[in-house]
Amino acid sequence: MADFSRLTYYEPKPASDKPLRIEADLCVYGGTAAGIAAAVQASRMGLRAVIAEFGRHAGGIAASGLGSTDHGNKAAIGGIAKQFFRDLGTYYGTSAEDGLVWYFEPHAARRIFREWLERAEVPIYYEQHLAGVEMRSGKIASISMENGNTFSAAMFIDATYEGDLMARAGVSYHVGRESNAVYRETRNGIQFGSHHHMFNAAVDPYRIEGKPDSGLLPGIMDVEPGTQGQADRSIQAYNFRICLTNVPGNRAPIPQPPGYDPDRFALLARYIRAGVWDYRYKPPQLPNGKTDTNNFGAVSTDHIGANHEWPEADYATRERLFQSHVAYNMGLLYFLANDESIPLELRQQRSQWGLAADEFVDTANWPHQLYVREGRRMVSDVVMTERHCRHLQVEGDSVGMASYTMDSHNCRRLVLEGLAVNEGNVEIAVPGPYPISYRSIVPKGDECVNLLVPVCLSASHIAYGSIRMEPVFMILGQSAATAAAIAIADGTAVQDVPYGKLRERLLRDGQVLELR
């Protein structure tokens, strides 16, 4: 019997009888890859850095199954981010001429991040659940946790996927999709018409086919369609990046999740009966016969519409949503391998795959980090938009580059003209790498002068879909820490860091700020 007791997002921690009072030059809230890159860079620049991490593990999604790197143009990746892939090359003993490895097992990423923090002598405090922010004269003076611990620093970085510190500090942000009109975009807001991850057969959405009064099948939202380009509060779907293997000696059976209900997958069964099977496992693309299993097809691991509360939810609500995603993703794999409504040949194919038994050993071989593709997004003096992605607008204060497709997973599954329809998928290539503005990772000056936000940066929904790749987050984390160090040395607000000085240091440290 699998032990799921540690497969949680949040467990309340009582206040300690002896709470810690931690002081540092830089406090990074969020032990994601971006947060680790920031702390390492800060240490290299002589700062006392500390990380306060919400969960029990470091590395975020980069160390929790996302081993098939969405890198875009590799030439745009420099600095600490490039070092990560070089260190992977050393770990695997690659024979590649450049010494880089781009596809990696979860435990390899965790090992490299751990070694980085040890060498940099950066302490990381786990299960630090943010409870409050003390502001003084437009600055964060300290942050406090539910367990009573407090962290004081001259500078703070919010490296969470949700933007929790940013929000509690009173920084402006947006959740959901803007209308196309807000930033003169074409791919924001409600988006119908994609050719990807859509139903390729007509599927009735009702519990009793042809009878709307019987109710909707699980996973279908009872909402109005809206109009193309219209704003709404939807965000792109979350899932787990699942590490599977078909290597018998390392294959653990897919367990039946707690509260398993096969009716939850009635839509998938109906879709398969309609003659379409478009959710497939990729062949092993990670070392040692493992996969980074992601969403693919109309009904897959994306738990469409189930995450809309997440960005602004309290921790207990996020725990409920986390468990819903566990039950959906694990249940989907179990259903495909075991339910008699699935054709025998397909069941037999799926049964050849299981969880990698040497990964995530403390969480029943299941990834510990939910793939939070989009949370809050800061609204600052510069908002990165589709126009930047398309090279129609260029800012002169680059702190890194992005180059991946403008990519939004589906945001809603609804009924349109009596059929089940997915909505929100966008996959539009960009012309090439484009610079990310320094002003997009710092708040407005009248909101907070000692906070940098390299993950939930100032970007529209569709531009964020291009920027939101882990190598880019590491790049921006390094740049944010560099700016923090300069601000401390010069005694200035982060908004007043001289860009020339910042640029010179970033280039010296190997960051790529433009490609000619």
Side-chain angles (χ1 to χ4, degrees):
M1 178 69 70
D3 180 7
F4 300 111
S5 61
R6 292 181 66 80
L7 184 55
T8 61
Y9 167 79
Y10 170 69
E11 292 182 17
K13 296 295 178 183
S16 171
D17 293 335
K18 296 180 179 179
L20 301 176
R21 302 286 183 265
I22 295 103
E23 295 183 357
D25 298 315
L26 173 67
C27 176
V28 179
Y29 187 61
T32 59
I36 292 170
V40 169
Q41 176 67 14
S43 177
R44 290 176 179 177
M45 296 184 69
L47 300 186
R48 292 175 298 123
V50 61
I51 298 175
E53 160 56 27
F54 186 92
R56 299 188 184 102
H57 305 88
I61 194 67
S64 189
L66 204 169
S68 178
T69 309
D70 292 326
H71 43 64
N73 188 325
K74 296 174 184 176
I77 299 173
I80 288 174
K82 190 171 184 178
Q83 180 186 338
F84 176 70
F85 298 105
R86 184 177 295 112
D87 287 355
L88 284 166
T90 300
Y91 175 80
Y92 284 112
T94 183
S95 59
E97 184 176 346
D98 62 5
L100 306 177
V101 163
W102 298 93
Y103 302 101
F104 52 91
E105 297 158 279
H107 73 264
R110 289 198 301 275
R111 173 173 171 167
I112 288 167
F113 289 140
R114 182 178 65 250
E115 290 175 349
W116 281 7
L117 293 175
E118 289 173 353
R119 285 198 298 268
E121 298 183 337
V122 172
I124 181 166
Y125 296 82
Y126 294 101
E127 295 186 272
Q128 302 301 309
H129 306 148
L130 184 64
V133 175
E134 181 185 1
M135 300 291 295
R136 296 179 193 162
S137 304
K139 290 184 177 182
I140 302 173
S142 65
I143 60 177
S144 58
M145 307 300 160
E146 287 184 344
N147 61 9
N149 293 347
T150 60
F151 294 78
S152 302
M155 291 284 159
F156 289 81
I157 288 177
D158 184 342
T160 66
Y161 293 120
E162 295 86 2
D164 285 344
L165 175 55
M166 168 187 78
R168 285 184 181 264
V171 171
S172 300
Y173 66 86
H174 186 82
V175 174
R177 300 181 286 185
E178 301 92 346
S179 78
N180 275 328
V182 172
Y183 298 119
R184 294 188 298 156
E185 296 177 300
T186 67
R187 300 292 180 168
N188 208 336
I190 291 171
Q191 291 289 315
F192 291 102
S194 173
H195 298 294
H196 303 288
H197 311 299
M198 297 298 170
F199 286 91
N200 291 315
V203 178
D204 190 292
Y206 304 112
R207 288 185 176 271
I208 301 175
E209 295 190 50
K211 294 188 175 182
D213 59 357
S214 67
L216 295 171
L217 289 173
I220 300 177
M221 304 167 67
D222 185 11
V223 294
E224 291 297 320
T227 59
Q228 191 80 349
Q230 175 185 333
D232 72 357
R233 296 280 291 178
S234 300
I235 55 175
Q236 55 179 312
Y238 300 169
N239 67 346
F240 288 93
R241 299 297 285 257
I242 308 163
C243 190
L244 299 176
T245 185
N246 60 357
V247 177
N250 193 37
R251 182 179 62 202
I254 305 293
Q256 184 182 108
Y260 173 70
D261 180 5
D263 186 55
R264 197 172 191 178
F265 309 102
L267 178 65
L268 174 58
R270 190 173 291 181
Y271 188 40
I272 291 172
R273 286 199 302 274
V276 180
W277 166 244
D278 57 9
Y279 172 47
R280 61 177 184 261
Y281 301 166
K282 291 181 180 179
Q285 72 273 45
L286 307 185
N288 298 311
K290 297 175 186 176
T291 73
D292 167 3
T293 298
N294 193 11
N295 180 82
F296 191 91
V299 185
S300 182
T301 57
D302 274 2
H303 197 6
I304 299 172
N307 61 338
H308 292 177
E309 294 177 87
W310 184 280
E312 296 181 296
D314 60 30
Y315 303 145
T317 300
R318 285 184 186 164
E319 170 62 17
R320 172 177 58 79
L321 298 176
F322 180 91
Q323 295 301 337
S324 175
H325 282 75
V326 170
Y328 176 74
N329 274 200
M330 193 182 297
L332 175 71
L333 301 185
Y334 184 85
F335 178 81
L336 287 168
N338 293 279
D339 198 271
E340 292 186 357
S341 68
I342 301 300
L344 178 60
E345 181 182 1
L346 185 52
R347 274 183 279 151
Q348 291 174 337
Q349 291 175 4
R350 297 308 96 198
S351 296
Q352 296 173 16
W353 293 87
L355 302 176
D358 61 344
E359 299 287 355
F360 312 117
V361 293
D362 62 339
T363 52
N365 308 125
W366 192 263
H368 46 77
Q369 172 70 56
L370 181 63
Y371 192 4
V372 177
R373 289 189 171 91
E374 182 177 22
R376 300 178 179 94
R377 302 188 308 278
M378 183 167 63
V379 179
S380 191
D381 290 334
V382 169
V383 179
M384 300 297 296
T385 71
E386 178 184 340
R387 295 180 58 78
H388 295 97
C389 299
R390 293 187 183 273
H391 298 189
L392 300 175
Q393 183 174 340
V394 179
E395 306 299 335
D397 55 349
S398 173
V399 287
M401 305 194 80
S403 61
Y404 196 72
T405 296
M406 288 185 285
D407 179 60
S408 172
H409 285 232
N410 281 306
C411 302
R412 301 185 300 164
R413 180 180 290 134
L414 48 88
V415 178
L416 192 64
E417 298 180 354
L419 298 175
V421 173
N422 292 342
E423 181 274 314
N425 189 82
V426 177
E427 299 177 41
I428 303 294
V430 301
Y434 57 91
I436 300 169
S437 169
Y438 175 63
R439 288 164 292 165
S440 73
I441 68 169
V442 297
K444 296 175 182 177
D446 60 355
E447 293 182 342
C448 188
V449 297
N450 69 334
L451 174 67
L452 298 104
V453 187
V455 176
C456 294
L457 71 157
S458 180
S460 72
H461 161 76
I462 196 58
Y464 192 81
S466 170
I467 295 168
R468 62 173 182 84
M469 305 303 151
E470 291 295 300
V472 178
F473 287 158
M474 284 192 271
I475 290 166
L476 296 180
Q478 179 179 356
S479 294
T482 305
I486 293 172
I488 290 173
D490 291 355
T492 66
V494 294
Q495 293 82 3
D496 297 329
V497 168
Y499 177 66
K501 182 181 290 188
L502 175 60
R503 177 184 174 87
E504 188 277 330
R505 180 62 194 242
L506 294 179
L507 291 173
R508 191 196 321 167
D509 289 339
Q511 292 279 54
V512 178
L513 303 183
E514 65 262 324
L515 287 177
R516 301 186 186 279

